[in-house]
Amino acid sequence: MKKIFEATYDGHQILVENRWFAGEKLYVNGELQDENIGLALRATLTGKLRNDSNESKNIKVTIGGFFSIHCKIFVDNVLVPSHQMKASN
């Protein structure tokens, strides 16, 4: 089963993909920035986002849960609203 979470920050797309037994991936504007392989009850992914003036902002993603998966996306330690896209197999 695959779950995808998506957020937009300053016009940049942040996408987090979670697959059972296969791990998690963090994409920023379609570019893979971090990945965890395997099964875990809790995971952290990190990445960077560059704005138009070439300044870098840190991205941190926490994923966890037992019966259902929850995902929180932070940019420079500020929680960014995200939503889960339709889950698929």
Side-chain angles (χ1 to χ4, degrees), residues 6 13 16 19 26-27 32 53 59 67 74 78 86-88:
E6 184 178 38
Q13 181 192 40
V16 178
R19 291 179 185 251
L26 168 64
Y27 295 91
L32 179 64
S53 53
I59 300 172
F67 292 109
F74 299 86
V78 176
K86 186 175 181 179
S88 64

Side-chain angles (χ1 to χ4, degrees), residues 5-8 14 16 71-73 79-85:
F5 300 89
E6 184 178 38
T8 301
I14 301 169
V16 178
C71 177
K72 292 188 178 183
I73 300 170
L79 182 63
V80 175
S82 64
H83 67 278
Q84 179 181 336
M85 299 173 70

Side-chain angles (χ1 to χ4, degrees), residues 4-75:
I4 296 174
F5 300 89
E6 184 178 38
T8 301
Y9 182 86
D10 276 350
H12 299 276
Q13 181 192 40
I14 301 169
L15 190 113
V16 178
E17 184 179 286
N18 174 270
R19 291 179 185 251
W20 286 20
F21 306 111
E24 301 83 26
K25 294 181 180 182
L26 168 64
Y27 295 91
V28 179
N29 298 324
E31 176 186 320
L32 179 64
Q33 291 212 359
D34 199 5
E35 157 178 49
N36 288 326
I37 299 173
L39 177 65
L41 294 177
R42 187 159 200 206
T44 302
L45 300 167
T46 59
K48 296 241 184 236
L49 185 141
R50 293 208 179 273
N51 62 17
D52 293 337
S53 53
N54 209 27
E55 296 172 331
S56 179
K57 294 187 179 245
N58 294 317
I59 300 172
K60 181 177 89 171
V61 177
T62 59
I63 304 169
F66 191 68
F67 292 109
S68 65
I69 300 297
H70 302 280
C71 177
K72 292 188 178 183
I73 300 170
F74 299 86
V75 176

